[in-house]
């Protein structure tokens, strides 16, 4: 969804991923980790990106107007330890560097789904959202994440114009796919708008 909206917005896209082992390889037909199987985050990301990807260590603010982090459970397992450690998590050092560098440069940062926890942990006082703070009968099954964000000292919001951080809950909500797609589109549109281009 992020790539479709960036394409529609006329953005030139470069993709990056950390060159680290995945915490788990998930068998999505069973919803469980595959036993005795390991994969690399960069290699798996290259599959999704159709090979057009580089190591996150090569990402610099000088060459880019903004950065967007997709979500998914991998952000909580491979970009950080949030899945295991919650508010006491550690963020991958390259992810932390990129977030801090873009923030310091005053360049927009977009995050969706669970990835706003990365900004909440790394950027003091950031305003982010992962959706609602109440479960609401199954619609927001990950509502507890909002509490963790507040414990990290971040404000639960959507567009933080001061810090140029734009977030959307995406699959944190159990809703129709087109609504998730549209929410990601709004995030991308706001990131592109904040670039001033």
């Amino acid at each position: 969804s992020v790539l479709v909206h960036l394409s529609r917005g006329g953005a030139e896209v470069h993709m990056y991923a950390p060159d680290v082992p995945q915490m788990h390889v998930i068998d999505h037909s069973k919803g469980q980790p595959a036993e005795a199987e390991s994969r690399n985050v960069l290699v798996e990301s290259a599959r999704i990106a159709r090979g057009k990807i580089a190591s996150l260590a090569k990402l610099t603010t000088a060459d880019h107007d903004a950065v967007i982090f997709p979500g998914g459970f991998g952000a909580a397992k491979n970009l950080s330890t949030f899945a295991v450690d919650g508010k006491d998590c550690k963020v991958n050092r390259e992810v932390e560097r990129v977030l801090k560098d873009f923030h310091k440069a005053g360049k927009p940062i977009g995050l969706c789904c669970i990835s706003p926890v990365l900004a909440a942990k790394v950027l003091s006082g950031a305003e982010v959202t992962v959706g609602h703070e109440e479960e609401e009968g199954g619609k927001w099954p990950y509502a507890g994440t909002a509490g963790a964000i507040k414990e990290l000292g971040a404000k639960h919001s959507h567009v933080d114009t001061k810090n140029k951080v734009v977030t959307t809950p995406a699959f944190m909500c159990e809703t129709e796919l087109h609504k998730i797609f549209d929410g990601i589109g709004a995030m991308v549109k706001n990131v592109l708008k904040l670039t001033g281009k």
Side-chain angles (χ1 to χ4, degrees):
S1 296
V2 171
L3 293 173
V4 170
H5 288 294
L6 285 170
S7 177
R8 282 199 178 138
E12 181 182 336
V13 176
H14 301 254
M15 290 178 270
Y16 300 86
D19 189 0
V20 297
Q22 285 184 200
M23 179 180 181
H24 295 120
V25 175
I26 301 296
D27 177 344
H28 289 281
S29 67
K30 297 176 183 170
Q32 298 175 349
E35 296 298 322
E37 190 173 344
S38 64
R39 294 184 191 166
N40 178 282
V41 173
L42 179 59
V43 172
E44 274 300 285
S45 298
R47 180 180 58 79
I48 296 166
R50 302 177 58 95
K52 299 174 184 170
I53 196 163
S55 171
L56 188 59
K58 296 181 180 179
L59 175 56
T60 66
T61 58
D63 299 327
H64 301 84
D65 298 316
V67 65
I68 295 178
F69 284 85
F73 209 20
K77 290 181 178 181
N78 302 313
L79 303 185
S80 71
T81 63
F82 186 80
V84 176
D85 300 325
K87 70 177 180 60
D88 298 320
C89 70
K90 292 180 178 66
V91 174
N92 171 284
R93 64 181 175 82
E94 286 299 329
V95 171
E96 182 171 356
R97 176 192 61 79
V98 168
L99 286 168
K100 286 181 175 178
D101 286 355
F102 274 80
H103 184 256
K104 185 177 179 183
K107 294 186 175 184
I109 300 167
L111 306 111
C112 60
C113 198
I114 191 70
S115 71
V117 301
L118 304 171
K121 181 70 177 180
V122 171
L123 305 177
S124 180
E127 297 180 7
V128 301
T129 189
V130 290
H132 289 205
E133 297 174 33
E134 300 295 326
E135 194 268 334
E136 295 180 23
K139 185 173 181 182
W140 295 95
Y142 310 105
T145 306
I149 282 174
K150 286 183 173 182
E151 289 185 49
L152 287 169
K155 184 178 176 187
H156 210 228
S157 181
H158 175 67
V159 179
D160 179 353
T161 53
K162 178 185 171 192
N163 290 298
K164 292 191 176 180
V165 174
V166 186
T167 54
T168 187
F171 287 96
M172 297 296 284
C173 180
E174 292 292 331
T175 190
E176 294 89 351
L177 184 59
H178 72 276
K179 290 181 181 177
I180 293 167
F181 181 80
D182 291 346
I184 292 170
M187 180 268 293
V188 169
K189 185 176 180 179
N190 279 295
V191 166
L192 294 176
K193 182 179 176 183
L194 285 171
T195 66
K197 296 189 175 204

